[in-house]
Amino acid sequence: MTDEDCIFCKINAGDIPSEKLFEDDDCFAIRDIAPKAPTHLLVIPKEHFTYLTGMTAGFQPVIGSMYNAARQLAISEGVAEPGYRLIVNQRDDSGQEVPHLHMHLLGGRKLGPMG
Ligand code: 5GP
Ligand code: ZN
């Protein structure tokens, strides 16, 4: 299922050109347009989910694919050893800007404490 007004669905469909650093049947990864760290990637499910709480148990493989993508990208981006952070923002209190579930992969500098 896609949302025709959704920026990440448009990127997935190729309507907005963006280099895909990783792709499998369930998800893909791109560089964040406004990076907060030297490595700042977004791992995005191909299907339009807005919230984790809206996903049902049948979608657990998608979550597994997203973590597998993050694992492979951490290695290929060279941040697996120094370290990195995975973030999923959800709803207002987190400041979620794009209402299509996605995981941030941040690394390449000391990220400091979460705050
Ligand atoms: P959120 O705050 O929803 O967790 O994060 C959304 C992220 O998507 C932000 O870090 C923002 O910079 C990024 N972003 C928004 N629009 C685009 C876009 O068109 N292309 C890319 N590559 N990243 C985007
Ligand atoms: Zn979408």
Side-chain angles (χ1 to χ4, degrees):
M1 201 180 76
T2 59
D3 180 329
E4 62 186 20
D5 296 325
C6 170
I7 196 143
F8 289 168
C9 285
K10 286 180 183 168
I11 290 172
N12 179 44
D15 296 340
I16 297 174
S18 194
E19 183 192 1
K20 289 181 179 169
L21 305 173
F22 175 96
E23 183 168 15
D24 68 10
D25 288 347
D26 294 322
C27 67
F28 64 98
I30 57 174
R31 293 197 190 281
D32 196 291
I33 203 167
K36 304 288 194 299
T39 293
H40 187 172
L41 309 183
L42 301 171
V43 179
I44 304 170
K46 290 183 172 177
E47 190 160 335
H48 182 91
F49 303 106
T50 306
Y51 305 119
L52 203 55
T53 47
M55 298 173 84
T56 57
F59 293 107
Q60 283 182 11
V62 177
I63 304 296
S65 294
M66 290 172 69
Y67 270 89
N68 176 58
R71 171 188 170 279
Q72 292 199 34
L73 289 159
I75 295 167
S76 62
E77 290 285 314
V79 298
E81 289 302 324
Y84 58 98
R85 182 172 288 156
L86 302 176
I87 296 173
V88 178
N89 290 321
Q90 293 283 270
R91 299 190 190 262
D92 289 355
D93 280 2
S94 73
Q96 182 180 6
E97 292 172 12
V98 177
H100 177 134
L101 186 75
H102 53 280
M103 178 191 283
H104 297 256
L105 190 164
L106 292 153
R109 66 168 171 80
K110 293 274 185 208
L111 296 165
M114 292 190 293

